[in-house]
Amino acid sequence: MISPSSISDKLQEAYDPELFRRLGHQLVDQLANHLQAVQSDPERPVYYHADPEEETDYWRNTLQEKGIDKLPDWYNRVIEHSIHLHHHRYAGHQISSPAPLAALSGLLTDVLNNGMGVYEMGVAATAMERIVVETAAQQFGMPNTAGGYLTSGGTLANLTALLAARRHRAPQDVWTEGSSEKLAVLVCEEAHYCIDRAVRIMGLGEKGIRKIPAASDFKMRTELLEEHWALARAEGFYPIAVVGSACSTSTGAYDDLEAIADFCEAKSLWFHVDGAHGAAAAFSEKYRHLVKGIDRADSVTMDFHKMLMTPALATGLIFRELDDSFATFSQRAQYLWAGATDQEWFNLARRTFECTKSMMSVKIFTLLQAYGTEVFDDYVTRCYDLGQMMAGLVNRRPAFELATQPDGNIVCFRLLKGELDREGLNQMNAQIRKTIIESGAFYLVQTELHGQLYLRVTLVNPFTSEKEMEELLDLVQSHA
Ligand SMILES: *Cc1c(COP(=O)(O)O)cnc(C)c1O
């Protein structure tokens, strides 16, 4: 007979509901205090600057003294050593200031920890996932045969979409037989690097990604699609898809989705929209025009953790025809004879890359439950309005230059100085950014466009206002 070891005191404590209650209440108070502070005290640093080696030593040191009683102080130190997305002077990358309401549901889902791969392991969250995806599809204007699922990030969603494209448009069954044909994907040179990466992961190689040049406004020159398609064919490639950016990452430029849809229809190509950042414009009455044509896409990637107020990661991959989403990881014979109704839509791992997946739908559903889609309209419209306002403020100052008039909330600009050449300007702008972020006064990023370095803001905090934007421009100018 084997006698099981007893449950240790540590195990008892780690699972103790009363301890959870006490620490949980305390942590919610700590976070609420933090949110209040960063929203009201501009002197608080946005960004915590530290050398990576020193930071690692710091946390190694904290491990010297262990104990439950250390946790409240430790929570505060984690907060302090982080970048603060709720700060009104946060205007950095595209990941949003999440609604605290949605983050609370993150606690809910972390405790419940339903695995989602099979229906039994996520009954409520699976049903909510379907509703969330169908809400997005409706917003895009897709037919009611549309559907899809949530997945872990835009990068993975784009790869999955291109795998679906290959399944549906390649001349052979690559999933079963491997590849003999040289396949290709057409995309604007301004697209997110993850498209390039996905194409290479799929084994299409450097020449399998056919880059369409961008115009001076950083949008795909769709009139060149035909020429690049023909060139690919002449070189022995078999194009399967065109990816439109809605919007591109560096400058926030929206490709002409209608023109790409027309081209894909004419050539029987898969039309994927990488709307990781900007497909959310479909929720905004005012900015919906930017995604005109999105209803004609075969698949759309949309990050809820960017422009839809949800904590990361939470990404939708929405197919115009739900049926198309079942083929990606299945044998051809398995899906050809069966309609979607026989496909057990509710066993999600059949269609997603993930096996275990977090209950991301619950966080999104929280916002729908509390407010409906109107809150997404409010958020996107506010942030995109801020982008337009920022561009106006930059334009009013002769010392600055915009890279291009922004479509939404991503704005690229730089400070000019008469006597400096290109390299000098690049160095000056990079140095100014470094000084500003290390001081903790603002957080913004930079991007290189045609060899020129631009400062880049993404206005994702709806509480940022004209005041902060003017302060940022003043600060940049003061470092000239
Ligand atoms: C952010 C972004 C991605 C990558 O999405 P993740 O969720 O960060 O993996 C892909 N494409 C575009 C256009 C993006 O803006």
Side-chain angles (χ1 to χ4, degrees):
M1 266 296 273
I2 297 172
S3 60
S5 54
S6 58
I7 299 175
S8 72
D9 290 350
K10 283 196 180 64
L11 277 176
Q12 288 283 8
E13 192 182 67
Y15 285 88
D16 178 23
E18 282 310 317
L19 178 68
F20 172 76
R21 191 192 309 278
R22 183 163 58 76
L23 280 177
H25 280 292
Q26 207 167 335
L27 178 58
V28 168
D29 283 340
Q30 285 171 293
L31 285 169
N33 290 344
H34 160 68
L35 288 173
Q36 255 163 3
V38 294
Q39 290 184 16
S40 59
D41 178 6
E43 297 310 316
R44 289 220 161 208
V46 185
Y47 165 63
Y48 184 83
H49 181 67
D51 171 82
E53 302 297 332
E54 285 170 18
E55 187 68 8
T56 309
D57 287 342
Y58 177 86
W59 294 107
R60 260 198 203 107
N61 274 334
T62 66
L63 283 180
Q64 300 306 315
E65 283 187 73
K66 299 185 185 65
I68 290 287
D69 56 324
K70 305 285 178 227
L71 285 180
D73 171 57
W74 181 83
Y75 290 142
N76 274 338
R77 287 193 280 155
V78 175
I79 294 171
E80 189 199 328
H81 283 236
S82 298
I83 182 164
H84 302 310
L85 279 60
H86 295 89
H87 200 297
H88 297 184
R89 293 165 173 228
Y90 170 83
H93 289 284
Q94 296 153 284
I95 185 161
S96 69
S97 330
L101 264 185
L104 268 185
S105 294
L107 177 62
L108 174 69
T109 59
D110 272 6
V111 173
L112 296 174
N113 207 28
N114 287 195
M116 302 294 294
V118 294
Y119 180 58
E120 292 166 9
M121 283 297 289
V123 170
T126 300
M128 288 186 204
E129 182 160 325
R130 175 171 170 175
I131 296 167
V132 163
V133 165
E134 287 178 357
T135 302
Q138 263 168 22
Q139 215 68 36
F140 297 157
M142 285 179 170
N144 58 14
T145 46
Y149 43 81
L150 301 177
T151 191
S152 305
T155 299
L156 196 62
N158 285 331
L159 173 59
T160 316
L162 289 175
L163 289 171
R166 184 173 72 180
R167 168 58 102 186
H168 289 286
R169 294 294 192 271
Q172 84 263 48
D173 180 1
V174 181
W175 192 252
T176 312
E177 294 152 21
S179 185
S180 50
E181 200 94 31
K182 292 196 289 182
L183 305 176
V185 171
L186 283 71
V187 65
C188 181
E189 60 180 347
E190 284 294 321
H192 191 272
Y193 72 86
C194 72
I195 303 294
D196 188 276
R197 196 178 273 185
V199 168
R200 290 167 193 261
I201 290 169
M202 288 163 68
L204 276 52
E206 187 167 15
K207 289 202 138 183
I209 180 137
R210 317 295 297 203
K211 300 255 172 90
I212 313 295
S216 60
D217 59 3
F218 304 96
K219 296 171 195 260
M220 182 196 285
R221 290 184 60 191
T222 51
E223 76 279 10
L224 299 180
L225 275 168
E226 180 79 41
E227 185 186 321
H228 283 258
W229 178 87
L231 185 66
R233 294 289 286 155
E235 290 177 9
F237 284 85
Y238 190 99
I240 54 169
V242 182
V243 178
S245 301
C247 48
S248 68
T249 303
S250 293
T251 62
Y254 281 81
D255 287 342
D256 180 346
L257 302 184
E258 290 280 20
I260 301 173
D262 288 343
F263 182 78
C264 287
E265 260 169 38
K267 294 284 192 279
S268 283
L269 297 169
W270 185 272
F271 176 25
H272 176 62
V273 171
D274 179 3
H277 180 91
F283 285 92
S284 163
E285 291 280 350
K286 185 170 173 184
Y287 291 99
R288 186 170 298 151
H289 63 92
L290 293 169
V291 290
K292 195 159 178 291
I294 200 168
D295 56 310
R296 297 169 65 193
D298 293 291
S299 54
V300 178
T301 292
M302 179 169 72
D303 280 346
F304 287 85
H305 59 265
K306 282 182 180 159
M307 290 309 294
L308 294 165
M309 305 163 68
T310 306
L313 290 171
T315 301
L317 181 56
I318 297 111
F319 293 79
R320 193 181 63 233
E321 297 299 335
L322 170 67
D323 267 0
D324 286 348
S325 72
F326 289 93
T328 318
F329 302 114
S330 63
Q331 310 301 323
R332 177 152 290 197
Q334 263 180 300
Y335 77 93
L336 272 186
W337 41 259
T341 43
D342 303 322
Q343 296 276 6
E344 299 191 352
W345 63 268
F346 43 84
N347 286 321
L348 287 163
R350 290 178 175 225
R351 292 184 285 154
T352 60
F353 233 108
E354 299 99 322
C355 175
T356 305
K357 187 175 87 172
S358 71
M359 302 164 74
M360 43 188 103
S361 63
V362 177
K363 297 181 212 171
I364 303 164
F365 207 90
T366 308
L367 296 166
L368 293 174
Q369 184 69 57
Y371 304 113
T373 55
E374 289 81 1
V375 75
F376 295 142
D377 186 349
D378 293 353
Y379 177 80
V380 174
T381 303
R382 166 75 185 171
C383 293
Y384 277 31
D385 280 350
L386 289 177
Q388 306 308 299
M389 185 193 281
M390 180 74 185
L393 299 178
V394 171
N395 270 334
R396 259 198 256 145
R397 298 182 183 226
F400 285 92
E401 175 190 77
L402 277 179
T404 184
Q405 182 60 37
D407 282 335
N409 62 335
I410 298 176
V411 187
C412 298
F413 61 98
R414 63 179 184 158
L415 187 62
L416 301 169
K417 203 168 185 192
E419 69 270 25
L420 291 180
D421 62 4
R422 168 189 287 222
E423 197 43 46
L425 282 176
N426 286 357
Q427 276 175 15
M428 176 181 73
N429 280 281
Q431 187 57 47
I432 290 174
R433 181 189 98 91
K434 189 166 182 294
T435 309
I436 290 176
I437 69 165
E438 288 181 7
S439 76
F442 274 93
Y443 187 75
L444 73 167
V445 299
Q446 64 187 41
T447 188
E448 205 176 292
L449 303 167
H450 306 309
Q452 284 162 348
L453 189 136
Y454 284 85
L455 303 173
R456 174 175 172 275
V457 290
T458 309
L459 297 152
V460 287
N461 187 331
F463 296 95
T464 300
S465 67
E466 184 171 358
K467 176 171 160 287
E468 283 86 14
M469 291 188 260
E470 290 281 29
E471 283 166 1
L472 173 60
L473 293 173
D474 285 344
L475 193 59
V476 170
Q477 219 165 340
S478 74
H479 286 296

